[in-house]
Amino acid sequence: MPLADLDDISTHPGAVEDELRRVQALLQLEQKEDLAQFKLKSAKVSIQERVKRGLTWYPVTITKEDIGFGGKVVLELERPTGPQSLHLFQVGSNAALFGNLPGHSASEPPTLTGVITGVRRNKLLLATTKQDLPDWVLESGKPGGGKLGVDLTFDEVSYREMDHALGVVMRARGDRLAELRDVLLGTRRARFRVPPIGALDDLFYPSPLNASQLAAVRHVIAAQDVAIIHGPPGTGKTTTLVQVILETTRRERRVLVCAPSNTAVDLLTEKLAERGVNVIRIGNPSRVSDLLLQHTLDARVMAHPSYSKMRAMRQTADQYRETASEYVRNFGFEERQQRQLLKEEARVLTQAANDLERFITEDVLESVQVITSTLVGASNRNIRHLAFETVFIDEAAQALEPGCWIAIAKGERVILAGDHHQLPPTVKSEKAARDGLRETLFEKCIKRQPDTARMLTVQYRMHAQIMAFSSEQFYNGQLTAHQSVCQAGLDAYDLNFAPDLPVEFLDTAGFGFLEITIPESRSTANPEEADLLLKRLIQLLAPYDRAEPAQNPLTIGVIAPYRAQINYLKDTMEENDALSGYLQNRMLSVGTVDSFQGQERDIIAISLTRSNHQGDIGFLSDIRRMNVGMTRARRKLLIVGDSSTLGAHPFFKELLAYVKRIGGYRTAWEIADTSYQP
């Protein structure tokens, strides 16, 4: 149906509701699958097995106890030093302290729930949900008291908040949320103001932004409902978004800036703070930096003039409670009265401290220009009552649609930033993904209302030949390489490197390097292909003097689509004298495409791994992953793969044609006679 016919939602009653109801059903399917996978990992296994799977630290000791935001207890927990298995604990994860105690069932130990607010080597911080520690925690470590451990727990909160937001959006009638919903889903036209010619020129002159970035900023300022900043790899999306936020804060009292991940929120918070913006980070940062920590809500509350008074009130209340607990038995009437009096004083003081904390929090938030949080964090109790003229969502093309609605419901205007040709959101249920949960609100809006988007077209990361294939395949050939990177190969980085092919495809067809399936993990490896990649990588690095100190050391990334191949590559590198040093000083990193999202390296080497007689390429057919992998490279992109397996897929057929056209195609035979053995 043409967009011109969709100006008013009233002509299509129920269509949007039906679509959102489908999304809600898919979200419930995803929650069930996520919970089932979590239970499979953690249920009915011993503590030792949970430790091995990375779901548990045991035993742990409490090395520090403090009072955090809201008067809740924050515990520093430490596990024994020495060799430890890998773990899945990270900032923002839900966790529970448990007691392996005499007299309690091993299957149902006493627990104290909380959120992880810090992880560093063998220590973590757990912000609990209680203002007082239960007796079983206090007794741990004493003779007969048992030991403590900490488990990861399933994240019910995120699903609950997303489901709630979908319900609110579906029920919206005749209000601003209903209008935004209909614009985002394409049933109402997005509106834009038309400023007088030259009216905005003074705001951007002189400007470090290029023409396409400036056009995006102007587009956002003109938007009355929704605008999209489409940022392909290396085009300065974050820089542009920060500038847009700055311009918006000059016009509006307070804005909300969200992203689906803690990492993205932290980056934006730091960038805004560096520009002098009064910004507060809600929630728990995933990284530790002085700049970031001083802009957290906790830090700003602690810096408030009234904080010391509130802290003293809490400490006095704690003292009253401790004194009252001493009067346990064998006391007379007066002693019992004194005990009740102390308890009442503690209750009154605690209530007064809570009231003062609410006042401090509201006072801090009253003057702030920008509040940053994850999408789920936008439902935080401290900002739940706040409304915003503009809500920004970065990395929106990686965010589940239900999560976006949590933030959107708080705004009068929505700005989305991202790139739907890079990694999609993670969806664990294959059925939910197949039926549409992986399609983001960003994708829906940019497809249904293309006029809402402005694409950034100048990239500052890659050599022109690395960029060109991605530009043609995903961005209609609209990308151009800035002159600073256009011809910047390895020889431009270091004169020891001879002029080299910026893009090289090493073809193993006919070599018999067939893939191996690992049944236990359902993963795939190709050791011979991996050896060939490492052989070529060593050849590339031979002219580079790693011992010579460099202001900007060479960085190398090795990418493979399968965990089994990554493990083989890592193990082989660690045993190889020519490469192990690069690993040790962190110049070289190995991982999946997902682990390199948002990053870049001077050299990227990709092992495509798949080689079979059936032409089966598995999830290599998700070409967005290849787009991300290839565009991490700044100066050199090396791809190793089997053209006879890959060539039947249209994308890889085009890739092979491209590398042949630019002279970057080589066969494995060309380097097969070298003496290197991994």
Side-chain angles (χ1 to χ4, degrees):
M1 186 173 296
L3 190 61
D5 296 338
L6 295 175
D7 287 336
D8 194 335
I9 186 61
S10 63
T11 60
H12 306 281
V16 165
E17 274 190 63
D18 289 345
E19 180 174 354
L20 290 169
R21 200 170 285 112
R22 285 195 299 274
V23 172
Q24 192 173 40
L26 294 175
L27 181 68
Q28 291 166 358
L29 195 64
E30 171 70 0
Q31 181 177 3
K32 288 179 182 176
E33 177 62 24
D34 195 3
L35 180 59
Q37 289 187 21
F38 183 85
K39 286 182 175 178
L40 192 64
K41 290 177 184 176
S42 59
K44 296 182 181 178
V45 294
S46 66
I47 291 175
Q48 288 70 28
E49 182 62 25
R50 295 205 307 274
V51 169
K52 185 178 177 182
R53 294 180 183 184
L55 302 168
T56 299
W57 281 14
Y58 181 85
V60 296
T61 54
I62 299 173
T63 52
K64 189 176 179 183
E65 179 185 335
D66 205 351
I67 301 297
F69 200 62
K72 303 295 193 295
V73 177
V74 179
L75 299 175
E76 182 183 75
L77 305 174
E78 184 174 9
R79 61 177 178 171
T81 56
Q84 295 284 355
S85 57
L86 297 174
H87 65 84
L88 302 174
F89 288 77
Q90 59 183 347
V91 171
S93 296
N94 293 282
L97 187 70
F98 67 88
N100 187 17
L101 309 175
H104 286 83
S105 166
S107 60
E108 293 185 8
T111 58
L112 176 63
T113 58
V115 175
I116 296 171
T117 59
V119 181
R120 189 174 182 184
R121 300 190 66 181
N122 292 318
K123 291 185 178 182
L124 65 81
L125 292 178
L126 182 71
T128 75
T129 55
K130 300 291 184 183
Q131 294 185 341
D132 296 297
L133 292 178
D135 291 342
W136 61 266
V137 175
L138 299 173
E139 293 299 316
S140 66
K142 296 179 181 179
K147 295 180 179 179
L148 298 175
V150 61
D151 275 330
L152 281 176
T153 56
F154 184 68
D155 181 12
E156 294 275 2
V157 175
S158 294
Y159 286 107
R160 186 169 65 244
E161 292 294 345
M162 287 191 285
D163 186 73
H164 174 74
L166 280 171
V168 170
V169 174
M170 278 190 283
R171 292 190 297 272
R173 295 285 187 279
D175 58 8
R176 186 56 179 151
L177 179 57
E179 291 175 351
L180 289 176
R181 173 196 66 200
D182 299 343
V183 171
L184 284 158
L185 295 177
T187 58
R188 181 190 294 267
R189 277 192 179 280
R191 300 166 300 158
F192 294 87
R193 301 180 189 89
V194 181
I197 295 174
L200 300 175
D201 290 351
D202 291 344
L203 295 174
F204 310 114
Y205 182 82
S207 173
L209 303 185
N210 63 46
S212 70
Q213 291 171 331
L214 284 171
V217 174
R218 290 190 175 96
H219 181 64
V220 169
I221 290 173
Q224 293 179 266
D225 308 297
V226 174
I228 291 176
I229 299 174
H230 180 194
T235 56
K237 172 182 65 68
T238 300
T239 300
T240 307
L241 184 59
V242 167
Q243 188 63 44
V244 165
I245 295 168
L246 284 170
E247 296 297 339
T248 305
T249 58
R250 292 178 182 142
R251 296 163 171 77
E252 300 175 11
R253 177 167 169 254
R254 182 174 54 209
V255 301
L256 177 64
V257 177
C258 295
S261 71
N262 277 301
T263 304
V265 177
D266 292 344
L267 175 63
L268 281 169
T269 305
E270 288 184 325
K271 295 289 186 185
L272 289 165
E274 287 168 0
R275 298 292 295 273
V277 175
N278 184 354
V279 55
I280 285 184
R281 165 74 155 98
I282 299 292
N284 303 303
S286 61
R287 51 201 261 190
V288 178
S289 75
D290 291 340
L291 179 63
L292 186 59
L293 292 178
Q294 73 185 42
H295 286 277
T296 60
L297 181 58
D298 284 12
R300 294 289 289 275
V301 166
M302 290 170 69
H304 193 277
S306 298
Y307 177 78
S308 57
K309 180 181 178 182
M310 182 202 74
R311 176 90 175 177
M313 291 164 71
R314 290 203 190 283
Q315 289 173 338
T316 303
D318 288 343
Q319 290 169 4
Y320 285 169
R321 272 191 289 268
E322 287 177 16
T323 305
S325 67
E326 294 172 5
Y327 298 97
V328 177
R329 63 176 72 90
N330 300 324
F331 290 101
F333 175 75
E334 291 183 4
E335 287 80 6
R336 282 196 293 274
Q337 275 196 318
Q338 180 66 11
R339 180 184 183 189
Q340 289 302 115
L341 185 62
L342 286 169
K343 283 187 172 182
E344 180 60 21
E345 285 289 338
R347 189 191 67 77
V348 170
L349 271 174
T350 300
Q351 183 61 52
N354 290 342
D355 292 341
L356 182 54
E357 185 177 89
R358 276 193 293 274
F359 165 77
I360 294 171
T361 304
E362 290 175 9
D363 194 40
V364 166
L365 293 174
E366 183 67 22
S367 60
V368 73
Q369 293 174 284
V370 178
I371 293 174
T372 62
S373 75
T374 60
L375 292 166
V376 173
S379 65
N380 183 286
R381 64 183 177 86
N382 293 297
I383 62 170
R384 194 182 287 270
H385 62 289
L386 298 180
F388 302 85
E389 290 182 62
T390 302
V391 170
F392 293 89
I393 301 178
D394 191 19
E395 302 295 358
Q398 279 190 276
L400 289 175
E401 179 182 339
C404 290
W405 289 119
I406 299 172
I408 292 168
K410 303 179 75 64
E412 297 288 313
R413 199 171 69 114
V414 184
I415 311 301
L416 306 177
D419 179 14
H420 55 304
H421 298 305
Q422 296 189 58
L423 291 182
T426 300
V427 178
K428 295 183 178 179
S429 165
E430 292 181 11
K431 178 170 173 51
R434 190 170 59 248
D435 290 351
L437 188 59
R438 197 172 277 155
E439 185 179 17
T440 63
L441 197 56
F442 183 101
E443 285 180 273
K444 289 180 178 180
C445 188
I446 205 170
K447 288 175 184 175
R448 300 175 190 185
Q449 300 230 48
D451 290 346
T452 60
R454 289 292 181 274
M455 188 173 83
L456 309 181
T457 57
V458 181
Q459 66 84 19
Y460 298 82
R461 175 185 298 164
M462 297 162 270
H463 189 287
Q465 288 189 351
I466 298 174
M467 173 204 74
F469 181 70
S470 175
S471 178
E472 291 295 332
Q473 288 289 311
F474 297 98
Y475 307 107
N476 298 317
Q478 294 181 60
L479 298 188
T480 58
H482 189 263
Q483 61 182 14
S484 61
V485 298
C486 186
Q487 300 300 321
L490 285 173
D491 54 319
Y493 167 78
D494 188 323
L495 292 176
N496 288 318
F497 289 106
D500 188 44
L501 302 167
V503 180
E504 181 179 344
F505 188 98
L506 200 54
D507 191 359
T508 65
F511 242 63
F513 291 173
L514 295 178
E515 66 193 52
I516 301 168
T517 301
I518 315 296
E520 295 83 2
S521 61
R522 295 186 297 177
S523 192
T524 302
N526 194 326
E528 292 168 308
E529 179 182 292
D531 291 342
L532 183 68
L533 180 144
L534 297 181
K535 181 189 296 185
R536 178 63 183 129
L537 188 58
I538 288 170
Q539 290 178 353
L540 279 173
L541 294 173
Y544 182 66
D545 184 4
R546 196 178 73 242
E548 184 178 320
Q551 187 173 1
N552 297 303
L554 188 74
T555 56
I556 310 125
V558 177
I559 295 174
Y562 295 94
R563 176 55 55 185
Q565 185 76 338
I566 289 167
N567 290 343
Y568 180 84
L569 284 161
K570 278 185 177 178
D571 292 346
T572 307
M573 288 176 187
E574 287 171 357
E575 296 171 5
N576 181 267
D577 293 338
L579 293 174
S580 59
Y582 287 97
L583 274 176
Q584 289 166 10
N585 61 21
R586 299 184 180 180
M587 294 166 65
L588 171 59
S589 49
V590 190
T592 61
V593 167
D594 301 60
S595 68
F596 282 92
Q597 171 79 339
Q599 300 183 42
E600 55 188 48
R601 299 289 189 273
D602 292 305
I603 300 172
I604 285 289
I606 303 176
S607 169
L608 296 176
T609 308
R610 301 307 299 258
S611 178
N612 53 69
H613 300 303
Q614 297 76 36
D616 180 11
I617 65 171
F619 64 82
L620 285 180
S621 58
D622 183 355
I623 59 176
R624 289 184 289 188
R625 295 193 120 70
M626 277 302 294
N627 184 37
V628 173
M630 294 188 299
T631 56
R632 301 309 95 192
R634 286 195 287 250
R635 304 174 185 278
K636 173 76 179 186
L637 173 62
L638 169 66
I639 304 174
V640 183
D642 180 351
S643 64
S644 64
T645 299
L646 300 163
H649 191 282
F651 176 85
F652 290 99
K653 184 178 180 181
E654 289 290 332
L655 175 61
L656 288 162
Y658 172 72
V659 292
K660 288 176 181 177
R661 191 161 65 247
I662 63 171
Y665 176 84
R666 302 179 69 182
T667 69
W669 300 101
E670 294 180 50
I671 61 167
D673 58 353
T674 57
S675 59
Y676 162 70
Q677 294 295 324

